[in-house]
Short mmCIF file of all heavy atoms in Angstrom, two decimals:
data_model
loop_
_atom_site.label_atom_id
_atom_site.label_comp_id
_atom_site.label_asym_id
_atom_site.label_seq_id
_atom_site.Cartn_x
_atom_site.Cartn_y
_atom_site.Cartn_z
N LYS T 113 77.33 124.40 -109.72
CA LYS T 113 77.84 124.36 -108.35
C LYS T 113 79.36 124.58 -108.32
O LYS T 113 79.87 125.36 -107.52
CB LYS T 113 77.50 123.00 -107.71
CG LYS T 113 77.90 122.87 -106.25
CD LYS T 113 77.45 121.53 -105.69
CE LYS T 113 77.85 121.41 -104.21
NZ LYS T 113 77.44 120.12 -103.64
N TRP T 123 83.70 109.15 -104.44
CA TRP T 123 84.57 108.11 -103.89
C TRP T 123 85.75 107.89 -104.84
O TRP T 123 85.62 107.92 -106.06
CB TRP T 123 83.80 106.80 -103.72
CG TRP T 123 82.81 106.85 -102.61
CD1 TRP T 123 81.46 106.96 -102.72
CD2 TRP T 123 83.08 106.81 -101.21
NE1 TRP T 123 80.87 107.00 -101.48
CE2 TRP T 123 81.84 106.91 -100.53
CE3 TRP T 123 84.25 106.71 -100.45
CZ2 TRP T 123 81.74 106.91 -99.15
CZ3 TRP T 123 84.15 106.71 -99.06
CH2 TRP T 123 82.90 106.81 -98.42
N LYS T 153 87.91 109.89 -100.43
CA LYS T 153 87.14 110.73 -101.33
C LYS T 153 88.05 111.73 -102.03
O LYS T 153 89.10 112.11 -101.52
CB LYS T 153 86.02 111.46 -100.59
CG LYS T 153 84.87 110.53 -100.18
CD LYS T 153 83.67 111.31 -99.72
CE LYS T 153 82.48 110.38 -99.48
NZ LYS T 153 81.27 111.11 -99.10
N LYS T 183 69.36 108.60 -107.63
CA LYS T 183 68.76 108.04 -106.43
C LYS T 183 67.27 107.86 -106.65
O LYS T 183 66.62 108.71 -107.27
CB LYS T 183 69.02 108.95 -105.23
CG LYS T 183 70.51 109.13 -104.92
CD LYS T 183 70.71 110.07 -103.75
CE LYS T 183 72.20 110.24 -103.45
NZ LYS T 183 72.42 111.18 -102.32
N VAL T 432 69.12 107.70 -82.95
CA VAL T 432 69.00 107.56 -84.40
C VAL T 432 69.75 106.29 -84.80
O VAL T 432 70.97 106.20 -84.65
CB VAL T 432 69.58 108.79 -85.13
CG1 VAL T 432 69.51 108.59 -86.64
CG2 VAL T 432 68.83 110.05 -84.73
N TYR T 435 70.20 105.26 -89.76
CA TYR T 435 69.81 106.35 -90.65
C TYR T 435 71.05 107.20 -90.94
O TYR T 435 71.74 107.62 -90.01
CB TYR T 435 68.71 107.20 -90.00
CG TYR T 435 68.47 108.53 -90.68
CD1 TYR T 435 68.04 108.59 -92.01
CD2 TYR T 435 68.68 109.73 -90.00
CE1 TYR T 435 67.83 109.82 -92.63
CE2 TYR T 435 68.47 110.96 -90.61
CZ TYR T 435 68.05 111.00 -91.92
OH TYR T 435 67.85 112.21 -92.54
N SER T 436 71.33 107.45 -92.21
CA SER T 436 72.58 108.10 -92.60
C SER T 436 72.45 109.60 -92.86
O SER T 436 73.32 110.20 -93.48
CB SER T 436 73.16 107.41 -93.84
OG SER T 436 73.44 106.05 -93.57
N PHE T 437 71.35 110.20 -92.42
CA PHE T 437 71.15 111.65 -92.52
C PHE T 437 71.15 112.14 -93.97
O PHE T 437 71.74 113.16 -94.31
CB PHE T 437 72.22 112.40 -91.71
CG PHE T 437 72.01 112.35 -90.22
CD1 PHE T 437 72.29 111.19 -89.50
CD2 PHE T 437 71.48 113.43 -89.54
CE1 PHE T 437 72.07 111.12 -88.13
CE2 PHE T 437 71.26 113.38 -88.17
CZ PHE T 437 71.55 112.22 -87.47
N TYR T 438 70.44 111.41 -94.84
CA TYR T 438 70.33 111.82 -96.24
C TYR T 438 69.09 112.66 -96.51
O TYR T 438 68.98 113.29 -97.55
CB TYR T 438 70.31 110.59 -97.16
CG TYR T 438 71.64 109.92 -97.32
CD1 TYR T 438 71.78 108.54 -97.17
CD2 TYR T 438 72.78 110.66 -97.65
CE1 TYR T 438 73.00 107.92 -97.33
CE2 TYR T 438 74.00 110.04 -97.80
CZ TYR T 438 74.11 108.68 -97.64
OH TYR T 438 75.33 108.08 -97.79
N ASP T 439 68.11 112.66 -95.60
CA ASP T 439 66.85 113.38 -95.84
C ASP T 439 66.90 114.76 -95.19
O ASP T 439 66.94 114.88 -93.97
CB ASP T 439 65.66 112.59 -95.28
CG ASP T 439 65.40 111.31 -96.05
OD1 ASP T 439 65.96 111.18 -97.16
OD2 ASP T 439 64.67 110.45 -95.55
N GLU T 440 66.86 115.76 -96.02
CA GLU T 440 67.05 117.13 -95.54
C GLU T 440 65.98 117.55 -94.54
O GLU T 440 66.28 118.21 -93.53
CB GLU T 440 67.03 118.08 -96.75
CG GLU T 440 67.39 119.52 -96.41
CD GLU T 440 67.38 120.42 -97.63
OE1 GLU T 440 67.25 119.90 -98.76
OE2 GLU T 440 67.47 121.65 -97.45
N HIS T 441 64.73 117.17 -94.79
CA HIS T 441 63.65 117.62 -93.90
C HIS T 441 63.73 116.94 -92.54
O HIS T 441 63.36 117.53 -91.53
CB HIS T 441 62.29 117.38 -94.54
CG HIS T 441 61.99 115.94 -94.84
ND1 HIS T 441 62.57 115.26 -95.87
CD2 HIS T 441 61.18 115.07 -94.22
CE1 HIS T 441 62.12 114.02 -95.87
NE2 HIS T 441 61.27 113.87 -94.88
N ILE T 442 64.22 115.71 -92.48
CA ILE T 442 64.44 115.04 -91.19
C ILE T 442 65.57 115.73 -90.44
O ILE T 442 65.48 116.01 -89.24
CB ILE T 442 64.80 113.55 -91.42
CG1 ILE T 442 63.65 112.80 -92.09
CG2 ILE T 442 65.16 112.87 -90.09
CD1 ILE T 442 62.47 112.55 -91.23
N ASN T 443 66.66 116.01 -91.16
CA ASN T 443 67.82 116.66 -90.54
C ASN T 443 67.45 118.01 -89.95
O ASN T 443 67.90 118.36 -88.86
CB ASN T 443 68.94 116.83 -91.57
CG ASN T 443 69.42 115.50 -92.13
OD1 ASN T 443 69.11 114.45 -91.60
ND2 ASN T 443 70.19 115.56 -93.20
N ASP T 444 66.62 118.77 -90.67
CA ASP T 444 66.23 120.10 -90.19
C ASP T 444 65.57 120.01 -88.83
O ASP T 444 65.84 120.82 -87.93
CB ASP T 444 65.28 120.76 -91.19
CG ASP T 444 65.99 121.25 -92.43
OD1 ASP T 444 67.23 121.29 -92.43
OD2 ASP T 444 65.30 121.57 -93.43
N ILE T 445 64.69 119.03 -88.66
CA ILE T 445 63.98 118.88 -87.38
C ILE T 445 64.96 118.52 -86.27
O ILE T 445 64.88 119.03 -85.14
CB ILE T 445 62.87 117.82 -87.50
CG1 ILE T 445 61.77 118.31 -88.46
CG2 ILE T 445 62.26 117.49 -86.14
CD1 ILE T 445 60.73 117.27 -88.80
N ILE T 446 65.91 117.63 -86.57
CA ILE T 446 66.90 117.22 -85.57
C ILE T 446 67.80 118.39 -85.20
O ILE T 446 68.10 118.62 -84.02
CB ILE T 446 67.73 116.03 -86.10
CG1 ILE T 446 66.84 114.80 -86.28
CG2 ILE T 446 68.87 115.71 -85.14
CD1 ILE T 446 67.53 113.62 -86.95
N TYR T 447 68.22 119.16 -86.20
CA TYR T 447 69.10 120.31 -85.92
C TYR T 447 68.38 121.37 -85.11
O TYR T 447 68.97 122.02 -84.23
CB TYR T 447 69.61 120.90 -87.23
CG TYR T 447 70.46 119.95 -88.06
CD1 TYR T 447 70.68 120.17 -89.41
CD2 TYR T 447 71.03 118.83 -87.48
CE1 TYR T 447 71.44 119.30 -90.16
CE2 TYR T 447 71.78 117.95 -88.22
CZ TYR T 447 71.99 118.18 -89.56
OH TYR T 447 72.75 117.30 -90.30
N GLN T 448 67.08 121.55 -85.39
CA GLN T 448 66.31 122.51 -84.59
C GLN T 448 66.22 122.05 -83.14
O GLN T 448 66.23 122.87 -82.22
CB GLN T 448 64.92 122.67 -85.19
CG GLN T 448 64.90 123.43 -86.51
CD GLN T 448 63.60 123.27 -87.27
OE1 GLN T 448 62.62 122.73 -86.74
NE2 GLN T 448 63.58 123.71 -88.53
N LEU T 450 68.47 120.55 -81.50
CA LEU T 450 69.74 120.83 -80.82
C LEU T 450 69.78 122.21 -80.19
O LEU T 450 70.64 122.51 -79.37
CB LEU T 450 70.91 120.66 -81.80
CG LEU T 450 71.30 119.21 -82.12
CD1 LEU T 450 72.27 119.16 -83.29
CD2 LEU T 450 71.92 118.54 -80.89
N LEU T 457 71.33 113.84 -78.61
CA LEU T 457 71.26 113.07 -79.85
C LEU T 457 72.26 111.93 -79.79
O LEU T 457 73.46 112.14 -79.59
CB LEU T 457 71.57 113.98 -81.05
CG LEU T 457 71.65 113.32 -82.42
CD1 LEU T 457 70.31 112.72 -82.82
CD2 LEU T 457 72.12 114.33 -83.47
N ILE T 459 73.57 108.73 -82.02
CA ILE T 459 73.56 108.16 -83.36
C ILE T 459 74.22 106.78 -83.34
O ILE T 459 75.35 106.64 -82.86
CB ILE T 459 74.30 109.07 -84.35
CG1 ILE T 459 73.63 110.45 -84.40
CG2 ILE T 459 74.34 108.45 -85.74
CD1 ILE T 459 74.44 111.50 -85.15
N ASP T 461 75.28 104.13 -86.06
CA ASP T 461 75.40 103.96 -87.50
C ASP T 461 76.67 103.18 -87.82
O ASP T 461 77.73 103.44 -87.26
CB ASP T 461 75.43 105.32 -88.19
CG ASP T 461 75.35 105.20 -89.71
OD1 ASP T 461 74.24 105.03 -90.23
OD2 ASP T 461 76.42 105.27 -90.37
N TYR T 463 78.72 103.07 -90.47
CA TYR T 463 79.85 103.85 -90.99
C TYR T 463 80.06 105.15 -90.22
O TYR T 463 81.19 105.59 -90.05
CB TYR T 463 79.64 104.15 -92.48
CG TYR T 463 79.68 102.92 -93.34
CD1 TYR T 463 78.51 102.38 -93.87
CD2 TYR T 463 80.87 102.26 -93.60
CE1 TYR T 463 78.53 101.24 -94.65
CE2 TYR T 463 80.91 101.12 -94.37
CZ TYR T 463 79.74 100.61 -94.90
OH TYR T 463 79.76 99.48 -95.67
N GLY T 464 78.98 105.76 -89.77
CA GLY T 464 79.09 106.97 -88.96
C GLY T 464 79.90 108.06 -89.64
O GLY T 464 79.65 108.44 -90.78
N THR T 465 80.91 108.56 -88.94
CA THR T 465 81.75 109.65 -89.45
C THR T 465 82.62 109.21 -90.62
O THR T 465 83.13 110.06 -91.35
CB THR T 465 82.65 110.20 -88.34
OG1 THR T 465 83.49 109.15 -87.84
CG2 THR T 465 81.83 110.76 -87.19
N LYS T 466 82.80 107.91 -90.80
CA LYS T 466 83.66 107.40 -91.88
C LYS T 466 83.14 107.80 -93.25
O LYS T 466 83.91 107.93 -94.20
CB LYS T 466 83.74 105.87 -91.83
CG LYS T 466 84.09 105.28 -90.48
CD LYS T 466 85.56 105.33 -90.19
CE LYS T 466 85.89 104.61 -88.88
NZ LYS T 466 87.29 104.71 -88.52
N ASN T 467 81.83 107.97 -93.37
CA ASN T 467 81.22 108.32 -94.66
C ASN T 467 81.19 109.83 -94.90
O ASN T 467 80.67 110.27 -95.92
CB ASN T 467 79.79 107.77 -94.74
CG ASN T 467 79.73 106.52 -95.59
OD1 ASN T 467 80.73 106.08 -96.14
ND2 ASN T 467 78.55 105.96 -95.71
N GLY T 468 81.74 110.59 -93.97
CA GLY T 468 81.68 112.03 -94.12
C GLY T 468 80.25 112.51 -93.96
O GLY T 468 79.49 112.00 -93.15
N GLY T 469 79.87 113.52 -94.73
CA GLY T 469 78.49 113.98 -94.71
C GLY T 469 78.06 114.58 -93.39
O GLY T 469 78.86 115.12 -92.62
N GLU T 470 76.75 114.44 -93.10
CA GLU T 470 76.15 115.12 -91.96
C GLU T 470 76.61 114.56 -90.61
O GLU T 470 76.72 115.30 -89.64
CB GLU T 470 74.62 115.06 -92.06
CG GLU T 470 74.06 115.83 -93.25
CD GLU T 470 74.44 117.29 -93.23
OE1 GLU T 470 74.19 117.95 -92.21
OE2 GLU T 470 75.01 117.75 -94.22
N ILE T 471 76.86 113.26 -90.54
CA ILE T 471 77.28 112.68 -89.26
C ILE T 471 78.67 113.21 -88.88
O ILE T 471 78.93 113.53 -87.71
CB ILE T 471 77.27 111.13 -89.32
CG1 ILE T 471 75.83 110.64 -89.54
CG2 ILE T 471 77.82 110.54 -88.02
CD1 ILE T 471 75.70 109.13 -89.61
N LEU T 472 79.55 113.32 -89.86
CA LEU T 472 80.88 113.91 -89.60
C LEU T 472 80.72 115.37 -89.20
O LEU T 472 81.41 115.85 -88.28
CB LEU T 472 81.76 113.80 -90.85
CG LEU T 472 83.16 114.41 -90.74
CD1 LEU T 472 83.96 113.72 -89.64
CD2 LEU T 472 83.90 114.32 -92.07
N ARG T 473 79.81 116.05 -89.86
CA ARG T 473 79.56 117.46 -89.53
C ARG T 473 79.09 117.61 -88.08
O ARG T 473 79.53 118.50 -87.35
CB ARG T 473 78.51 118.02 -90.49
CG ARG T 473 78.17 119.48 -90.29
CD ARG T 473 77.06 119.88 -91.26
NE ARG T 473 76.55 121.19 -90.94
CZ ARG T 473 75.35 121.62 -91.28
NH1 ARG T 473 74.53 120.82 -91.94
NH2 ARG T 473 74.95 122.83 -90.97
N LEU T 474 78.20 116.70 -87.66
CA LEU T 474 77.73 116.73 -86.27
C LEU T 474 78.86 116.43 -85.29
O LEU T 474 78.95 117.03 -84.21
CB LEU T 474 76.59 115.72 -86.09
CG LEU T 474 75.24 116.12 -86.69
CD1 LEU T 474 74.33 114.92 -86.80
CD2 LEU T 474 74.58 117.21 -85.83
N SER T 475 79.73 115.50 -85.68
CA SER T 475 80.87 115.15 -84.83
C SER T 475 81.79 116.34 -84.61
O SER T 475 82.33 116.54 -83.52
CB SER T 475 81.64 113.99 -85.46
OG SER T 475 82.81 113.69 -84.73
N LYS T 476 81.96 117.13 -85.66
CA LYS T 476 82.87 118.28 -85.59
C LYS T 476 82.34 119.39 -84.68
O LYS T 476 83.08 120.31 -84.33
CB LYS T 476 83.14 118.82 -86.98
CG LYS T 476 84.03 117.92 -87.83
CD LYS T 476 84.29 118.51 -89.20
CE LYS T 476 85.26 117.63 -90.00
NZ LYS T 476 85.51 118.17 -91.36
N LEU T 477 81.06 119.32 -84.31
CA LEU T 477 80.53 120.29 -83.36
C LEU T 477 81.18 120.16 -81.99
O LEU T 477 81.21 121.11 -81.21
CB LEU T 477 79.01 120.11 -83.21
CG LEU T 477 78.14 120.38 -84.44
CD1 LEU T 477 76.69 120.06 -84.13
CD2 LEU T 477 78.28 121.82 -84.89
N LYS T 478 81.69 118.94 -81.68
CA LYS T 478 82.32 118.65 -80.39
C LYS T 478 81.37 118.96 -79.24
O LYS T 478 81.78 119.40 -78.17
CB LYS T 478 83.62 119.44 -80.25
CG LYS T 478 84.66 119.09 -81.31
CD LYS T 478 85.93 119.89 -81.16
CE LYS T 478 86.92 119.53 -82.27
NZ LYS T 478 88.18 120.31 -82.19
N VAL T 482 75.97 115.35 -78.38
CA VAL T 482 75.95 114.53 -79.59
C VAL T 482 76.84 113.32 -79.37
O VAL T 482 78.06 113.45 -79.22
CB VAL T 482 76.42 115.33 -80.82
CG1 VAL T 482 76.46 114.43 -82.05
CG2 VAL T 482 75.52 116.53 -81.06
N ILE T 483 76.25 112.14 -79.31
CA ILE T 483 76.97 110.89 -79.07
C ILE T 483 76.88 110.05 -80.35
O ILE T 483 75.79 109.89 -80.90
CB ILE T 483 76.39 110.12 -77.87
CG1 ILE T 483 76.61 110.93 -76.58
CG2 ILE T 483 77.00 108.74 -77.74
CD1 ILE T 483 75.38 111.46 -75.97
N ILE T 484 78.02 109.54 -80.82
CA ILE T 484 78.04 108.76 -82.07
C ILE T 484 78.68 107.40 -81.80
O ILE T 484 79.83 107.31 -81.38
CB ILE T 484 78.83 109.51 -83.17
CG1 ILE T 484 78.20 110.88 -83.44
CG2 ILE T 484 78.85 108.67 -84.46
CD1 ILE T 484 78.99 111.76 -84.37
N GLN T 486 79.66 103.96 -83.63
CA GLN T 486 79.86 103.50 -85.00
C GLN T 486 80.84 102.33 -85.08
O GLN T 486 81.61 102.09 -84.16
CB GLN T 486 80.38 104.65 -85.86
CG GLN T 486 81.77 105.12 -85.49
CD GLN T 486 82.20 106.35 -86.29
OE1 GLN T 486 81.42 107.25 -86.56
NE2 GLN T 486 83.48 106.39 -86.66
#
Side-chain angles (χ1 to χ4, degrees):
K113 184 177 180 180
W123 289 104
K153 287 192 173 183
K183 299 179 180 179
V432 177
Y435 166 62
S436 299
F437 285 76
Y438 285 131
D439 292 345
E440 187 179 351
H441 61 286
I442 297 288
N443 299 347
D444 286 348
I445 294 172
I446 295 173
Y447 297 161
Q448 288 165 10
L450 283 169
L457 175 63
I459 300 169
D461 188 81
Y463 294 105
T465 59
K466 310 280 185 183
N467 258 359
E470 295 302 306
I471 296 180
L472 178 61
R473 181 183 170 204
L474 285 164
S475 175
K476 288 181 177 179
L477 295 176
K478 299 179 181 179
V482 177
I483 294 112
I484 302 172
Q486 66 185 39

